[in-house]
Amino acid sequence: MSQIVQTDFDWTLPSRDYRDPAVYERERQEIFARNWMLFSWSERLKQPGDYVTGTVAGYPVFVIRDDAGGVRAFHNVCRHRGAQLLTEESGHCGKLVVCPYHSWSYTRAGRLNKASDFGSDATFDPEAWSLYAIDAEEWRGLIFVRLKAGGPTLVEWLGPIHAMAESYPLEQQHYFMSKDRDCAVDWKTYGENYLECYHCRTMHPGLCAAMDIENYRIDTYQKERFFHLHAPKREGGLTRGLYFYRFPFLMLNLYDWGSSIATIEPLGPGRIKHINWYFFNDVSPEKAEENRKSVAWSAEIVSEDLDIITGVQRNLDAGIYERGPLSPKYEMAVKGFQDMVREDLGAPRPLHSIAAE
């Protein structure tokens, strides 16, 4: 007589959650808009009037250094007819932000300066017709924005990461290069892959040569909504490092000599831009080749991941695979990540059973 073995597992999210436009729209409002998003770095905004433009979860925005030396962020849209105010990736706007369409102008604080040539009888309240502001803060040379105003400060949002990273010299590091990639991968597909090393022996020979994968650990801080990834380095490996993933998709890889800072720009259900910046203490020409080798090593690991999870996403989109069990040994951080998604979307956490002969 065959024996029935019943085992309870935590299971992945259903495959439709990685491809459904309705789920993505809920994520835009309930996850992306409510969290701090990495946007740029402070060296790009050295003087008042310097600005950087970009897109955050589908919303065109810009950050500008104001007259007092702080950073402010706004939706990149004129209040008159919706024109894009700043069209270059970065630059300097002078004393005013002037719309290239009908010349309405705004101060660096976003206040309406003038509704150009609108008629002598027309008056506009400068405060009521200010630009649509979003939250902006700096942390140790990095600039973050938040689409929905209010909530925890950036340092509060970072939580224990702020103190744990204190001894790493971020402010002494300078931008060296970036590597951005548009990928047919959902942001959750990428995050789940990042938060397990179940695949490391198969997929990452270079990483396994540098770190003691047998002792690789990912500590989940569910309340603070971040993950601490760590493993001892092998003989001849890199110096000490600190590795964080802050939900929903901030990745900080910190070293004494440099940093790999990464984030995700969601482009739609099943689509992202993976953004990776590399900073080094020494960006002199003499160190350029060594720095490039370091970047190439890091970028190769990302490429190895994207090669496999692009196929994962293709199958999630196809609709044959529905969901799978999570390994209690290797995928507890994936469970924590998915619970954060469910919590933000107000969805229950299911527990399923598998019956096998």
Side-chain angles (χ1 to χ4, degrees):
M1 182 177 180
S2 62
Q3 183 180 8
I4 303 297
V5 179
Q6 180 108 354
T7 306
D8 288 333
F9 291 101
D10 284 286
W11 283 49
T12 65
L13 299 168
S15 62
R16 66 178 178 273
D17 286 6
Y18 301 82
R19 65 177 187 267
D20 188 342
V23 171
Y24 177 76
E25 284 304 315
R26 290 178 61 204
E27 291 170 347
R28 281 182 85 201
Q29 301 302 320
E30 302 300 327
I31 299 179
F32 310 151
R34 295 175 182 271
N35 281 281
W36 287 101
M37 299 285 159
L38 180 64
F39 187 75
S40 189
W41 59 94
S42 300
E43 281 187 335
R44 300 181 79 187
L45 302 177
K46 293 182 178 179
Q47 302 296 329
D50 289 350
Y51 68 83
V52 176
T53 66
T55 306
V56 178
Y59 297 97
V61 303
F62 71 91
V63 174
I64 190 169
R65 183 76 65 188
D66 66 18
D67 293 337
V71 291
R72 295 178 184 258
F74 305 95
H75 287 278
N76 194 2
V77 55
C78 182
R79 295 294 306 274
H80 173 222
R81 291 268 299 282
Q84 186 173 330
L85 290 165
L86 298 170
T87 58
E88 301 296 325
E89 181 180 338
S90 62
H92 182 86
C93 71
K95 288 290 186 182
L96 298 170
V97 178
V98 181
C99 177
Y101 196 12
H102 299 103
S103 298
W104 280 38
S105 59
Y106 305 85
T107 69
R108 293 169 180 166
R111 189 173 185 268
L112 177 67
N113 176 69
K114 184 178 181 181
S116 178
D117 201 21
F118 216 80
S120 58
D121 295 333
T123 58
F124 292 89
D125 181 342
E127 296 298 333
W129 286 85
S130 293
L131 297 178
Y132 297 116
I134 62 176
D135 291 340
E137 289 190 31
E138 292 178 278
W139 179 75
R140 304 195 62 189
L142 300 173
I143 297 172
F144 292 75
V145 300
R146 181 173 55 195
L147 293 166
K148 185 175 177 59
T153 66
L154 178 55
V155 167
E156 290 170 344
W157 182 83
L158 288 167
I161 294 173
H162 175 65
M164 293 170 75
E166 188 175 8
S167 65
Y168 287 82
L170 277 166
E171 292 89 348
Q172 299 173 27
Q173 297 173 4
H174 306 282
Y175 173 78
F176 179 70
M177 67 176 292
S178 62
K179 188 171 181 61
D180 299 346
R181 321 180 201 207
D182 287 359
C183 313
V185 170
D186 192 72
W187 70 276
K188 299 184 295 299
T189 306
Y190 188 87
E192 291 161 6
N193 175 82
Y194 194 94
L195 291 171
E196 52 95 347
C197 212
Y198 196 3
H199 69 282
C200 288
R201 292 176 187 83
T202 306
M203 295 294 304
H204 300 313
L207 182 65
C208 292
M211 292 183 172
D212 180 3
I213 296 300
E214 297 298 326
N215 290 297
Y216 190 97
R217 285 181 28 226
I218 304 178
D219 298 330
T220 300
Y221 293 74
Q222 202 73 31
K223 181 180 178 182
E224 296 84 358
R225 303 171 77 80
F226 81 96
F227 304 85
H228 179 202
L229 302 83
H230 48 103
K233 68 182 180 71
R234 294 194 187 278
E235 186 68 28
L238 300 173
T239 57
R240 70 180 186 130
L242 199 60
Y243 313 98
F244 295 117
Y245 187 108
R246 205 304 181 185
F247 184 84
F249 35 63
L250 171 65
M251 291 155 273
L252 302 174
N253 303 302
L254 311 178
Y255 306 96
D256 291 316
W257 44 266
S259 299
S260 169
I261 311 291
T263 190
I264 296 296
E265 180 186 333
L267 301 176
R271 291 182 57 237
I272 62 169
K273 176 184 283 187
H274 181 273
I275 300 167
N276 210 153
W277 305 328
Y278 299 92
F279 299 83
F280 293 95
N281 293 354
D282 187 347
V283 292
S284 65
E286 293 76 18
K287 293 286 287 186
E289 183 60 26
E290 181 180 336
N291 291 346
R292 277 193 289 270
K293 288 180 179 178
S294 177
V295 169
W297 181 85
S298 174
E300 178 61 24
I301 296 171
V302 177
S303 296
E304 292 165 351
D305 283 331
L306 292 175
D307 285 346
I308 194 73
I309 64 175
T310 299
V312 170
Q313 186 65 45
R314 191 177 298 117
N315 282 327
L316 292 169
D317 292 343
I320 298 301
Y321 172 90
E322 174 55 22
R323 63 200 317 166
L326 294 174
S327 165
K329 182 177 181 180
Y330 290 111
E331 296 174 308
M332 293 307 293
V334 177
K335 174 186 177 295
F337 175 89
Q338 295 190 347
D339 284 347
M340 293 174 195
V341 173
R342 293 185 183 103
E343 180 182 348
D344 282 1
L345 297 183
R349 183 179 66 82
L351 185 68
H352 294 263
S353 295
I354 291 181
E357 290 192 359

